[in-house]
Amino acid sequence: MDQDLKATLSRIAEALDRLSPPEPGSADIAASEAYVWHASGRRLEAVARVNRVDLDLLQGIDRQKATLLENTRRFAKGLPANNALLWGARGAGKSSIVKATHARVNREMGGPPGPLALVEIHREDIPSLPVLLARVRENNRRFVVFCDDLSFDGHDAAYKSLKAVLEGGIEGRPDNVLFYATSNRRHLMSRDMIDNERSTAINPSEAVEEKVSLSDRFGLWLGFHNADQDTFFAMIEGYARHYGLDVPVEELRKQAVEWSVTRGARSGRVAWQFIQEVAGQLGKKLG
């Protein structure tokens, strides 16, 4: 092969490398407090700054906070703890409480990065859970694997991977891993899906039981519901105090009622959106 052809092929190869650079390697699982799992590259990506609020700012869910906090503390100390399913109304604080609880416990134990890592896995990547667990199984840290908005529809068979992990399978769930999930559905699937299984199966009760029983694999069930007006006011006023928003309480409540009516709900998410609106009007940044 002549030199000109070799040089041309070399330039083509270099151009292709620039167009399709190799995926970055997996992050050091001892260096950060939180990660995102990428199934396609079988790698963990460190999260520089976790999007969360302080646990004390979450109002109206005191029982849920206390229960998840105690469970997470036990796990971080190497004591027995349960996988947790946080289910219920949208915007009620399910994912916020997971992230805030992780931060609280990790800081109690010397973080960040601390001994407790939070790893987010996307619902569509659930089938890769065994690969993720193999990656962290022998590590000295402890890991809360977190899946937000978990649910299954139609003929989705990904639930079988999760069921195997929660039950343990041959190897068993690693002692240093706990699984937390949030869902709008108590049984992780739609009523239509359950009814369809019941109507088409040879043995309806067994077909439904196999899927509905998935939620039974979680030792903790924490329910979340829409807030009443007093709780909604407590959320708003708590945020306003914390961020130093100088608005008279009566005026703040009046605006909050109007805001919740336009949104058709009273929830932690709606309260936070309202506070962002107020802060914007006041020209004040939310740290």
Short mmCIF file of all heavy atoms in Angstrom, two decimals, residues 16-46:
data_model
loop_
_atom_site.label_atom_id
_atom_site.label_comp_id
_atom_site.label_asym_id
_atom_site.label_seq_id
_atom_site.Cartn_x
_atom_site.Cartn_y
_atom_site.Cartn_z
N LEU A 16 -13.41 10.00 11.59
CA LEU A 16 -14.49 9.19 12.16
C LEU A 16 -14.42 9.18 13.68
O LEU A 16 -15.46 9.20 14.36
CB LEU A 16 -14.41 7.76 11.61
CG LEU A 16 -14.77 7.59 10.12
CD1 LEU A 16 -14.52 6.15 9.67
CD2 LEU A 16 -16.23 7.98 9.88
N ASP A 17 -13.21 9.15 14.22
CA ASP A 17 -13.06 9.18 15.68
C ASP A 17 -13.58 10.49 16.26
O ASP A 17 -14.19 10.51 17.34
CB ASP A 17 -11.58 9.02 16.07
CG ASP A 17 -11.11 7.57 15.90
OD1 ASP A 17 -11.98 6.68 15.85
OD2 ASP A 17 -9.89 7.37 15.82
N ARG A 18 -13.36 11.59 15.53
CA ARG A 18 -13.85 12.88 16.02
C ARG A 18 -15.38 12.95 15.97
O ARG A 18 -16.01 13.54 16.82
CB ARG A 18 -13.24 14.01 15.20
CG ARG A 18 -11.76 14.25 15.47
CD ARG A 18 -11.29 15.58 14.89
NE ARG A 18 -11.40 15.60 13.44
CZ ARG A 18 -10.42 15.19 12.61
NH1 ARG A 18 -9.28 14.73 13.12
NH2 ARG A 18 -10.58 15.25 11.31
N LEU A 19 -15.96 12.33 14.92
CA LEU A 19 -17.42 12.32 14.80
C LEU A 19 -18.07 11.42 15.83
O LEU A 19 -19.16 11.70 16.31
CB LEU A 19 -17.82 11.86 13.38
CG LEU A 19 -17.52 12.83 12.24
CD1 LEU A 19 -17.81 12.16 10.90
CD2 LEU A 19 -18.36 14.10 12.38
N SER A 20 -17.41 10.34 16.16
CA SER A 20 -17.97 9.37 17.12
C SER A 20 -16.95 9.07 18.20
O SER A 20 -16.31 8.01 18.21
CB SER A 20 -18.36 8.07 16.40
OG SER A 20 -19.30 8.32 15.39
N PRO A 21 -16.74 10.03 19.10
CA PRO A 21 -15.75 9.81 20.17
C PRO A 21 -16.19 8.69 21.08
O PRO A 21 -17.39 8.44 21.25
CB PRO A 21 -15.75 11.16 20.91
CG PRO A 21 -17.09 11.74 20.64
CD PRO A 21 -17.45 11.31 19.25
N PRO A 22 -15.26 7.96 21.67
CA PRO A 22 -15.62 6.88 22.58
C PRO A 22 -16.35 7.40 23.80
O PRO A 22 -16.12 8.54 24.23
CB PRO A 22 -14.26 6.28 22.97
CG PRO A 22 -13.27 7.39 22.73
CD PRO A 22 -13.81 8.15 21.56
N GLU A 23 -17.26 6.59 24.35
CA GLU A 23 -17.99 7.00 25.54
C GLU A 23 -17.03 7.12 26.72
O GLU A 23 -16.07 6.36 26.83
CB GLU A 23 -19.09 5.99 25.87
CG GLU A 23 -20.25 6.01 24.91
CD GLU A 23 -21.42 5.22 25.46
OE1 GLU A 23 -21.32 4.71 26.60
OE2 GLU A 23 -22.43 5.10 24.75
N PRO A 24 -17.27 8.08 27.60
CA PRO A 24 -16.40 8.21 28.77
C PRO A 24 -16.48 6.97 29.66
O PRO A 24 -17.49 6.25 29.65
CB PRO A 24 -16.97 9.45 29.48
CG PRO A 24 -18.38 9.55 29.00
CD PRO A 24 -18.37 9.06 27.59
N GLY A 25 -15.44 6.75 30.41
CA GLY A 25 -15.43 5.60 31.30
C GLY A 25 -16.32 5.83 32.51
O GLY A 25 -16.83 6.93 32.74
N SER A 26 -16.50 4.77 33.28
CA SER A 26 -17.34 4.84 34.47
C SER A 26 -16.64 5.65 35.56
O SER A 26 -15.42 5.61 35.71
CB SER A 26 -17.64 3.43 34.98
OG SER A 26 -18.66 3.45 35.96
N ALA A 27 -17.44 6.40 36.32
CA ALA A 27 -16.88 7.26 37.37
C ALA A 27 -16.37 6.42 38.54
O ALA A 27 -16.78 5.27 38.75
CB ALA A 27 -17.94 8.24 37.86
N ASP A 28 -15.48 7.00 39.31
CA ASP A 28 -14.98 6.39 40.54
C ASP A 28 -16.13 6.31 41.54
O ASP A 28 -16.67 7.34 41.97
CB ASP A 28 -13.83 7.23 41.08
CG ASP A 28 -13.22 6.66 42.35
OD1 ASP A 28 -13.75 5.65 42.87
OD2 ASP A 28 -12.22 7.22 42.83
N ILE A 29 -16.50 5.10 41.95
CA ILE A 29 -17.67 4.95 42.82
C ILE A 29 -17.36 5.23 44.29
O ILE A 29 -18.21 5.00 45.15
CB ILE A 29 -18.33 3.56 42.67
CG1 ILE A 29 -17.33 2.44 42.91
CG2 ILE A 29 -18.97 3.42 41.31
CD1 ILE A 29 -17.95 1.06 42.82
N ALA A 30 -16.18 5.73 44.54
CA ALA A 30 -15.85 6.14 45.91
C ALA A 30 -15.75 7.65 46.04
O ALA A 30 -15.58 8.16 47.15
CB ALA A 30 -14.54 5.50 46.35
N ALA A 31 -15.86 8.39 44.92
CA ALA A 31 -15.52 9.81 44.93
C ALA A 31 -16.70 10.76 45.02
O ALA A 31 -16.52 11.91 45.39
CB ALA A 31 -14.69 10.15 43.68
N SER A 32 -17.91 10.33 44.68
CA SER A 32 -19.07 11.24 44.64
C SER A 32 -20.19 10.71 45.52
O SER A 32 -20.21 9.53 45.89
CB SER A 32 -19.57 11.40 43.20
OG SER A 32 -18.58 11.98 42.38
N GLU A 33 -21.12 11.60 45.85
CA GLU A 33 -22.23 11.17 46.68
C GLU A 33 -23.42 10.65 45.87
O GLU A 33 -24.29 9.99 46.40
CB GLU A 33 -22.69 12.29 47.61
CG GLU A 33 -23.22 13.54 46.92
CD GLU A 33 -23.75 14.55 47.92
OE1 GLU A 33 -24.05 14.17 49.06
OE2 GLU A 33 -23.85 15.74 47.55
N ALA A 34 -23.46 10.96 44.55
CA ALA A 34 -24.59 10.52 43.73
C ALA A 34 -24.13 10.23 42.31
O ALA A 34 -23.19 10.84 41.80
CB ALA A 34 -25.69 11.58 43.74
N TYR A 35 -24.85 9.29 41.67
CA TYR A 35 -24.51 8.86 40.32
C TYR A 35 -25.78 8.59 39.53
O TYR A 35 -26.85 8.35 40.10
CB TYR A 35 -23.68 7.56 40.35
CG TYR A 35 -22.40 7.66 41.14
CD1 TYR A 35 -22.40 7.46 42.53
CD2 TYR A 35 -21.19 7.94 40.52
CE1 TYR A 35 -21.23 7.54 43.27
CE2 TYR A 35 -20.01 8.03 41.25
CZ TYR A 35 -20.03 7.83 42.61
OH TYR A 35 -18.87 7.92 43.35
N VAL A 36 -25.64 8.59 38.20
CA VAL A 36 -26.68 8.12 37.30
C VAL A 36 -26.13 6.91 36.55
O VAL A 36 -25.00 6.95 36.03
CB VAL A 36 -27.11 9.21 36.30
CG1 VAL A 36 -28.12 8.65 35.29
CG2 VAL A 36 -27.72 10.39 37.04
N TRP A 37 -26.91 5.84 36.49
CA TRP A 37 -26.50 4.63 35.80
C TRP A 37 -26.92 4.71 34.33
O TRP A 37 -28.07 4.97 34.02
CB TRP A 37 -27.13 3.42 36.46
CG TRP A 37 -26.98 2.12 35.70
CD1 TRP A 37 -27.97 1.40 35.10
CD2 TRP A 37 -25.77 1.38 35.50
NE1 TRP A 37 -27.46 0.26 34.54
CE2 TRP A 37 -26.11 0.22 34.76
CE3 TRP A 37 -24.44 1.59 35.86
CZ2 TRP A 37 -25.17 -0.73 34.38
CZ3 TRP A 37 -23.50 0.64 35.48
CH2 TRP A 37 -23.85 -0.50 34.75
N HIS A 38 -25.96 4.50 33.42
CA HIS A 38 -26.23 4.47 31.99
C HIS A 38 -26.08 3.04 31.50
O HIS A 38 -24.96 2.52 31.39
CB HIS A 38 -25.25 5.39 31.24
CG HIS A 38 -25.43 6.84 31.56
ND1 HIS A 38 -26.43 7.62 31.01
CD2 HIS A 38 -24.74 7.66 32.40
CE1 HIS A 38 -26.35 8.85 31.49
NE2 HIS A 38 -25.33 8.90 32.34
N ALA A 39 -27.20 2.40 31.22
CA ALA A 39 -27.18 0.99 30.85
C ALA A 39 -26.46 0.76 29.52
O ALA A 39 -25.77 -0.24 29.35
CB ALA A 39 -28.60 0.45 30.78
N SER A 40 -26.64 1.69 28.57
CA SER A 40 -26.07 1.49 27.23
C SER A 40 -24.54 1.37 27.28
O SER A 40 -23.95 0.57 26.56
CB SER A 40 -26.48 2.62 26.29
OG SER A 40 -26.04 3.88 26.80
N GLY A 41 -23.92 2.17 28.13
CA GLY A 41 -22.46 2.11 28.26
C GLY A 41 -22.00 1.34 29.47
O GLY A 41 -20.79 1.25 29.75
N ARG A 42 -22.96 0.79 30.22
CA ARG A 42 -22.65 0.06 31.46
C ARG A 42 -21.69 0.87 32.34
O ARG A 42 -20.64 0.39 32.78
CB ARG A 42 -22.05 -1.32 31.14
CG ARG A 42 -23.02 -2.20 30.37
CD ARG A 42 -22.59 -3.64 30.34
NE ARG A 42 -23.63 -4.50 29.79
CZ ARG A 42 -23.66 -5.82 29.86
NH1 ARG A 42 -22.67 -6.45 30.48
NH2 ARG A 42 -24.64 -6.52 29.34
N ARG A 43 -22.10 2.11 32.60
CA ARG A 43 -21.21 2.99 33.35
C ARG A 43 -22.01 3.86 34.31
O ARG A 43 -23.21 4.09 34.13
CB ARG A 43 -20.42 3.88 32.40
CG ARG A 43 -21.26 4.86 31.60
CD ARG A 43 -20.44 5.63 30.57
NE ARG A 43 -21.28 6.57 29.84
CZ ARG A 43 -21.50 7.82 30.22
NH1 ARG A 43 -20.93 8.29 31.33
NH2 ARG A 43 -22.28 8.61 29.52
N LEU A 44 -21.32 4.31 35.34
CA LEU A 44 -21.87 5.25 36.31
C LEU A 44 -21.33 6.64 36.02
O LEU A 44 -20.12 6.82 35.85
CB LEU A 44 -21.49 4.83 37.73
CG LEU A 44 -22.21 3.59 38.28
CD1 LEU A 44 -21.46 3.04 39.48
CD2 LEU A 44 -23.65 3.92 38.65
N GLU A 45 -22.23 7.61 35.97
CA GLU A 45 -21.83 9.01 35.78
C GLU A 45 -22.04 9.77 37.09
O GLU A 45 -23.13 9.76 37.66
CB GLU A 45 -22.65 9.66 34.67
CG GLU A 45 -22.33 11.12 34.45
CD GLU A 45 -23.24 11.78 33.44
OE1 GLU A 45 -24.15 11.10 32.91
OE2 GLU A 45 -23.08 12.99 33.19
N ALA A 46 -20.99 10.40 37.57
CA ALA A 46 -21.08 11.17 38.81
C ALA A 46 -21.96 12.40 38.60
O ALA A 46 -21.92 13.03 37.55
CB ALA A 46 -19.69 11.58 39.28
#
